[in-house]
Amino acid sequence: MPASPQPPGQSPLATQLAVLKALIMRELHVRFGRDNIGYLWLIGEPMMLATVISTVHYVASVDEGFTSLAPFPFTLVGYCLFIIFRGIFNRAEGAIEGNSSLFHHKMIKPIDIMIAKAVIECLGCVSSLIVLLTIGILLGIADPPARPLYLMFGALLVTWWSFALSLIVAGVTYGSHALGRFVHPISYFMVPLSGAFWTMSFLPLKFRAFMAWNPMATMFEIARYGQFRWASADYMFPEYAIAVCAGLTFVGLVLIRKLKYKLQVS
């Protein structure tokens, strides 16, 4: 890890990227090690979970005779993107305390830790989605994305939303284990509320207006619009999702910035 001020002749951006690269490699080593398949667990772990869930939904749908909605890619897209949220959000609690030994390096700040964790979760889950979707296409149980850019945009929004919330969680729960205990239950409640496993067109009319205020529902609608040709754009509100993510990011950055005073005291 870098332990000195910015090297001579190196731009601040290059220095920051070098710090993030070092933190990402350190996080990969701590989480997965170099034994067996090593860093490939970054993709392998979400792949195994997504494969089981998507296959179960596909088999159940075939047994019931409901295959018109392409259950494998429908569940795969929803679950892989939800894993991004779950991984970033759940790992935010205790992230700063767990890496407190790194802060004697002057170039490393709490925000760098959070960015590195978010990048790892996003790359792992998106890579798993690409690999499994390719296998589904080859097996004839999935079609190529109808609008790939919308699918990636949906994944990017989910990552941004999750990162913004992780900043808030890290700032609020630092030094408070009682508050940290609420993080995992909240992620469980978000499973049915997120829109990962249903689409707005499936909901009764009286619930659609209410769920339209849920930013995650819009993000998953955008992702499904990117994957499926039959998906509707009627319930996509990207401007609203971007505004919410930007507002939460600002709040999170303020909370994270305040941590530096607590870190200096400790």
Side-chain angles (χ1 to χ4, degrees), residues 206-217:
K206 61 181 179 180
F207 291 117
R208 291 181 192 175
F210 174 75
M211 291 307 299
W213 290 98
N214 178 4
M216 287 194 79

Side-chain angles (χ1 to χ4, degrees), residues 61 65-71 228 230:
S61 299
F66 302 116
T67 57
S68 60
L69 289 179
F228 302 105
W230 54 260

Side-chain angles (χ1 to χ4, degrees), residues 179-250:
L179 289 175
R181 293 185 180 275
F182 288 96
V183 174
H184 287 271
I186 290 174
S187 69
Y188 297 146
F189 281 117
M190 290 306 297
V191 173
L193 296 176
S194 64
F197 304 107
W198 48 263
T199 181
M200 294 284 282
S201 59
F202 294 172
L203 298 179
L205 288 174
K206 61 181 179 180
F207 291 117
R208 291 181 192 175
F210 174 75
M211 291 307 299
W213 290 98
N214 178 4
M216 287 194 79
T218 280
M219 297 170 193
F220 282 102
E221 288 292 313
I222 293 173
R224 272 189 291 269
Y225 184 74
Q227 174 61 36
F228 302 105
R229 192 165 301 279
W230 54 260
S232 172
D234 294 342
Y235 307 104
M236 290 167 38
F237 309 102
E239 298 85 357
Y240 170 67
I242 291 172
V244 172
C245 288
L248 291 176
T249 302
F250 176 77

Side-chain angles (χ1 to χ4, degrees), residues 77 81 129 133 145 147-155 222-223 226-227:
V77 169
L81 297 191
L129 173 61
L133 191 57
R147 308 168 187 90
L149 292 180
Y150 277 92
L151 178 58
M152 291 298 102
F153 181 47
I222 293 173
Q227 174 61 36

Side-chain angles (χ1 to χ4, degrees), residues 120-139:
I120 288 174
E121 296 295 337
C122 178
L123 290 180
C125 294
V126 170
S127 299
S128 300
L129 173 61
I130 293 172
V131 171
L132 291 175
L133 191 57
T134 301
I135 294 174
I137 293 170
L138 294 176
L139 293 176

Side-chain angles (χ1 to χ4, degrees), residues 5-261:
Q6 179 181 323
Q10 190 172 32
S11 68
L13 178 59
T15 302
Q16 192 66 27
L17 291 176
V19 169
L20 290 175
K21 179 181 177 181
L23 288 173
I24 289 171
M25 297 305 297
R26 177 184 182 275
E27 181 73 12
L28 287 172
H29 179 64
V30 169
R31 285 176 56 179
F32 305 112
R34 295 191 177 93
D35 298 330
N36 299 318
I37 63 173
Y39 296 163
L40 288 178
W41 277 114
L42 172 67
I43 302 175
E45 187 176 0
M47 269 184 62
M48 288 188 295
L49 294 172
T51 300
V52 172
I53 298 297
S54 301
T55 302
V56 168
H57 278 259
Y58 173 75
V59 172
S61 299
V62 170
D63 289 342
E64 295 295 330
F66 302 116
T67 57
S68 60
L69 289 179
F72 180 81
F74 186 90
T75 308
L76 181 65
V77 169
Y79 193 73
C80 283
L81 297 191
F82 186 80
I83 293 177
I84 295 177
F85 166 76
R86 190 189 67 180
I88 297 176
F89 185 76
N90 285 355
R91 294 181 186 278
E93 190 269 326
I96 304 302
E97 289 106 323
N99 293 277
S100 58
S101 61
L102 297 176
F103 296 122
H104 72 274
H105 300 288
K106 298 301 183 182
M107 290 187 293
I108 299 178
K109 300 177 177 59
I111 185 66
D112 299 322
I113 302 294
M114 306 309 296
I115 292 175
K117 289 181 177 292
V119 169
I120 288 174
E121 296 295 337
C122 178
L123 290 180
C125 294
V126 170
S127 299
S128 300
L129 173 61
I130 293 172
V131 171
L132 291 175
L133 191 57
T134 301
I135 294 174
I137 293 170
L138 294 176
L139 293 176
I141 58 177
D143 293 323
R147 308 168 187 90
L149 292 180
Y150 277 92
L151 178 58
M152 291 298 102
F153 181 47
L156 179 62
L157 284 176
V158 172
T159 303
W160 186 8
W161 159 264
S162 307
F163 172 68
L165 290 178
S166 74
L167 295 180
I168 296 174
V169 169
V172 170
T173 63
Y174 181 81
S176 175
H177 295 292
L179 289 175
R181 293 185 180 275
F182 288 96
V183 174
H184 287 271
I186 290 174
S187 69
Y188 297 146
F189 281 117
M190 290 306 297
V191 173
L193 296 176
S194 64
F197 304 107
W198 48 263
T199 181
M200 294 284 282
S201 59
F202 294 172
L203 298 179
L205 288 174
K206 61 181 179 180
F207 291 117
R208 291 181 192 175
F210 174 75
M211 291 307 299
W213 290 98
N214 178 4
M216 287 194 79
T218 280
M219 297 170 193
F220 282 102
E221 288 292 313
I222 293 173
R224 272 189 291 269
Y225 184 74
Q227 174 61 36
F228 302 105
R229 192 165 301 279
W230 54 260
S232 172
D234 294 342
Y235 307 104
M236 290 167 38
F237 309 102
E239 298 85 357
Y240 170 67
I242 291 172
V244 172
C245 288
L248 291 176
T249 302
F250 176 77
V251 174
L253 289 174
V254 171
L255 293 173
I256 285 292
R257 183 175 177 81
K258 290 183 177 180
L259 286 184
K260 70 176 184 178
Y261 303 109

